[in-house]
Amino acid sequence: MTFTSDSASTRFSQAFNPSIQADAVTSTTTVFQSLSVDDQLAVLWYAYTEMGRSITPAATGAARLQLAEGLLNQIKQMSHPEQLQVMRDLVAKKNTQFTRSYGILSANTKLAFWYELSELMVKGFVVPVPTDYQISRDGSQVLEALKQLDFGQQITILRRVVADMGFDPLA
Ligand code: 45D
């Protein structure tokens, strides 16, 4: 896919123009990754609230979560501002001890990590998304695009997105 402009909205309209659209999974992933850090977090959260019912905790695999448990426990002990900072660091691929530990997890364990974070948010252990958070137009369009796809495509996009987050100490 080629882009003629760096603006996210131009990328967006090109990515979703059926005449130049290569593949919905690739284009939705690309537009997602062009969103601001906060909008990426917000879209992930809203995607979880939409998909939550379809994801069974058993499917995320207890064994995988064990590998992420240390990170989840660290997050539970943090203040709300610290929790938000860690999530922003993951999305922004900052190089910190936390993002390096995340970086060595497998793609599915990363997905399970985010899933569990959402569960912790629901239970009140993790900072909530402000009820008045204004998501950008591109952000809500990514969300709409995600909703149009089937579960398998949604998971593929989410897996690609979270696999790319954090910092890979071996890269
Ligand atoms: O103040 O292993 C903002 C299966 C604004 C099976 C904010 C699977 C500013 C195999 C930044 C918005 C395939 C089913 C605050 C796995 C501000 C397998 C806060 C799949 C406070 C794993 C933002 C699993 C915040 C799947 C706190 C599909 C945002 C898992 C937090 C999907 C966002 C998991 C979070 C998803 C989003 C998790 C925690 C979609 C998590 C999303």
Side-chain angles (χ1 to χ4, degrees):
M1 207 176 336
T2 51
F3 299 118
T4 53
S5 159
D6 275 329
S7 113
S9 58
T10 304
R11 272 204 295 279
F12 188 90
S13 47
Q14 291 183 349
F16 288 102
N17 180 336
S19 61
I20 29 179
Q21 179 184 335
D23 143 28
V25 168
T26 307
S27 56
T28 308
T29 307
T30 304
V31 182
F32 179 96
Q33 291 175 325
S34 75
L35 299 174
S36 72
V37 166
D38 279 14
D39 268 6
Q40 290 187 43
L41 284 173
V43 170
L44 274 184
W45 167 252
Y46 295 129
Y48 161 81
T49 61
E50 298 280 339
M51 296 174 74
R53 283 154 277 129
S54 340
I55 314 165
T56 68
T60 62
R64 289 204 183 93
L65 261 181
Q66 263 175 357
L67 297 168
E69 208 172 78
L71 293 179
L72 291 163
N73 282 334
Q74 281 183 52
I75 288 193
K76 274 197 246 177
Q77 332 243 304
M78 292 175 183
S79 67
H80 281 185
E82 287 169 339
Q83 291 173 337
L84 181 56
Q85 188 58 50
V86 161
M87 287 188 255
R88 283 175 168 157
D89 288 349
L90 287 173
V91 175
K93 303 186 208 182
K94 288 237 183 81
N95 182 358
T96 70
Q97 200 186 331
F98 194 98
T99 60
R100 288 195 300 273
S101 304
Y102 174 93
I104 58 172
L105 301 173
S106 72
N108 272 344
T109 302
K110 289 172 178 167
L111 209 42
F113 165 86
W114 283 101
Y115 176 80
E116 196 56 28
L117 260 191
S118 306
E119 296 281 289
L120 291 174
M121 282 171 72
V122 171
K123 292 177 192 152
F125 291 114
V126 170
V127 56
V129 174
T131 46
D132 61 352
Y133 182 70
Q134 290 285 326
I135 196 166
S136 70
R137 203 165 144 269
D138 282 345
S140 54
Q141 285 183 297
V142 170
L143 204 57
E144 280 313 306
L146 263 177
K147 284 191 209 167
Q148 305 304 315
L149 302 175
D150 64 43
F151 190 63
Q153 290 172 308
Q154 293 172 345
I155 292 200
T156 301
I157 293 168
L158 289 170
R159 190 186 281 118
R160 285 186 192 176
V161 158
V162 302
D164 212 36
M165 290 177 179
F167 190 88
D168 186 348
L170 307 173

